[in-house]
Amino acid sequence: MKNVKSEPRIALSSLAIRIFDANALKKIILSKPDATDEVKSVLTVKHISAEKVLQLETFSKDNKAYHRNIKNVNEIELNALFSGYSQINVVSTVGDVQYMRSKSGKETLIGENKVNEKLNNGNFEIAEKSLNNKVKQYILSGNEDFLKKLGVSDENGRVRDKMQAKFRQINKFIEHIESVKDKLPRDEINIYDLCCGKSYLSFAVYHYFKCILGMRVNMICVDLKADVIEYCSNLAKRIGFDSMEFVCGDIMAYEMKLKPHLVISLHACDIATDIVLNKASENGADVILSTPCCHHELNHKLNCDTLAFVSKHSMLRQKMCDALTDALRLLKLESLGYKVDALELIDPEDTPKNIMLRAIKKKKLDKEKLNQLKNEYEQTRRFLLGEQ
């Protein structure tokens, strides 16, 4: 006997495939799940090593998110996935479709006729995010030897699925460096990576200046973890990055022997970012590029009655302190003679830690303006800590 109740869901699965194949899909939101431990799921289009997939992100009630990439997208798999949800919204450039299943099992599909008509006419826009992912050209290809050795890509130069976010992250960081290269020396450059960690970024930056721009590079990478420093130092020697030096030590105690032209830092934790910025500015770095990690210091010390209506809510307090901390950092750098900006490093879908602090040393300084900024910084700091 024909199962009439399943027809709307089957029709939705078929239509979703058509939209996906036409590059018109923006996202599919699956809500009201049958599983009691879930909140909802979202399907979005991703391009992984030139292969178009659907990425499923499932949100659980314990505030965790789980990801799975669906390759070889087909109607049977989508129909099976859709069966676990009572409401499904397909968002696309050809229109939106909504599926609903009542408690009694009655199914309803709304909007499919208009969407099918537009697909048949072929008069619609490509989904912007899908198109951008498809044609995106990176500075690094994945075929670089250091990326293979670090496990970002395989022996054939294909970026590994689990390293896609890291690959995009370091490419974006290089793009930010490329945008300020006119502020840096053209022949020989001194670069410091403070709190370098496993040094994905360090190797990428060295490769960019040495192998792509053909410059003489002196690069010093500092971190506390002895085993990581030893590993990276040996790797640099194996791949011929002879002008990379890896130092095991505390960045606060480290003395810069060479005048820093560029200081970088990716996800230095909490006040380590402040130490990086202080060290770089005290030594007169031409350009500072730093992406902070966690922000705890101000959250612990905030004592401001005026902002109590925000700070009494723990989640809003943390978000506010994140923004205030980075704003204070930029204000301090500005008071030291830097032109400053807060930029987005990478899509927040990849990581919420996506704010880059950029500081470029000014050639001409207005002492009166700098004094005003220093006073503004101190007044703001005291205001937030309740010292007024």
Side-chain angles (χ1 to χ4, degrees), residues 174-191:
I174 298 297
E175 288 178 17
H176 281 293
I177 289 176
E178 189 173 50
S179 70
V180 297
K181 67 180 180 181
D182 61 325
K183 309 297 182 183
L184 298 166
R186 296 184 179 181
D187 298 320
E188 184 171 1
I189 186 170
N190 302 327
I191 306 171

Side-chain angles (χ1 to χ4, degrees), residues 30-255:
L30 303 97
S31 52
K32 298 182 180 179
D34 296 337
T36 57
D37 59 338
E38 290 183 17
V39 177
K40 69 173 182 178
S41 291
V42 180
L43 284 164
T44 52
V45 179
K46 298 289 183 181
H47 288 270
I48 300 177
S49 298
E51 181 182 5
K52 186 170 71 168
V53 304
L54 276 178
Q55 185 175 90
L56 175 67
E57 184 175 24
T58 300
F59 300 88
S60 63
K61 289 186 176 180
D62 59 359
N63 295 321
K64 294 181 180 179
Y66 303 91
H67 296 81
R68 176 169 69 90
N69 291 330
I70 302 175
K71 301 179 180 180
N72 302 318
V73 180
N74 60 77
E75 186 176 330
I76 296 175
E77 186 164 10
L78 281 190
N79 187 48
L81 176 63
F82 290 172
S83 67
Y85 298 85
S86 297
Q87 181 173 325
I88 302 170
N89 294 83
V90 178
V91 183
S92 75
T93 62
V94 288
D96 300 342
V97 183
Q98 184 177 55
Y99 164 89
M100 292 177 288
R101 186 183 74 220
S102 68
K103 292 182 179 180
S104 64
K106 182 181 178 180
E107 296 179 310
T108 307
L109 192 60
I110 303 172
E112 79 277 16
N113 292 334
K114 289 184 178 180
V115 170
N116 272 313
E117 184 178 348
K118 287 186 178 181
L119 285 172
N120 291 334
N121 292 336
N123 185 23
F124 57 86
E125 296 180 0
I126 301 296
E128 182 179 357
K129 189 166 186 179
S130 297
L131 179 62
N132 287 343
N133 281 342
K134 187 174 182 180
V135 301
K136 176 67 178 178
Q137 296 295 318
Y138 292 113
I139 295 174
L140 303 177
S141 66
N143 202 42
E144 293 80 6
D145 193 32
F146 75 90
L147 289 178
K148 296 177 182 178
K149 294 291 194 300
L150 286 168
V152 175
S153 52
D154 61 24
E155 58 184 11
N156 297 314
R158 175 188 174 277
V159 178
R160 300 180 190 276
D161 291 349
K162 292 182 179 180
M163 301 301 291
Q164 289 287 334
K166 174 61 69 175
F167 179 70
R168 289 191 294 270
Q169 182 188 75
I170 60 178
N171 264 292
K172 189 63 177 179
F173 207 109
I174 298 297
E175 288 178 17
H176 281 293
I177 289 176
E178 189 173 50
S179 70
V180 297
K181 67 180 180 181
D182 61 325
K183 309 297 182 183
L184 298 166
R186 296 184 179 181
D187 298 320
E188 184 171 1
I189 186 170
N190 302 327
I191 306 171
Y192 289 85
D193 186 350
L194 303 181
C195 299
C196 61
K198 198 174 178 181
S199 300
Y200 295 101
L201 182 61
S202 314
F203 284 104
V205 172
Y206 183 94
H207 172 86
Y208 172 72
F209 283 102
K210 181 75 172 181
C211 304
I212 296 179
L213 298 185
M215 294 175 59
R216 294 190 299 275
V217 181
N218 304 303
M219 187 157 192
I220 301 94
C221 309
V222 186
D223 199 274
L224 277 171
K225 298 176 182 177
D227 57 337
V228 173
I229 288 296
E230 182 180 7
Y231 170 83
C232 293
S233 181
N234 290 334
L235 176 57
K237 293 175 183 176
R238 291 204 312 271
I239 61 179
F241 284 11
D242 299 329
S243 299
M244 288 188 82
E245 179 185 354
F246 289 87
V247 178
C248 180
D250 188 339
I251 59 171
M252 181 177 285
Y254 179 75
E255 295 184 7

Side-chain angles (χ1 to χ4, degrees), residues 274-288:
D274 298 291
I275 298 171
V276 169
L277 299 178
N278 290 339
K279 182 71 66 173
S281 57
E282 287 170 2
N283 285 273
D286 296 325
V287 176
I288 306 168

Side-chain angles (χ1 to χ4, degrees), residues 19-30:
I19 296 172
F20 174 77
D21 289 340
N23 292 322
L25 181 64
K26 291 183 177 179
K27 60 182 176 180
I28 301 175
I29 304 168
L30 303 97

Side-chain angles (χ1 to χ4, degrees), residues 254-268:
Y254 179 75
E255 295 184 7
M256 293 180 169
K257 298 177 182 178
L258 300 175
K259 192 282 195 219
H261 298 123
L262 172 64
V263 175
I264 61 173
S265 180
L266 180 63
H267 295 159

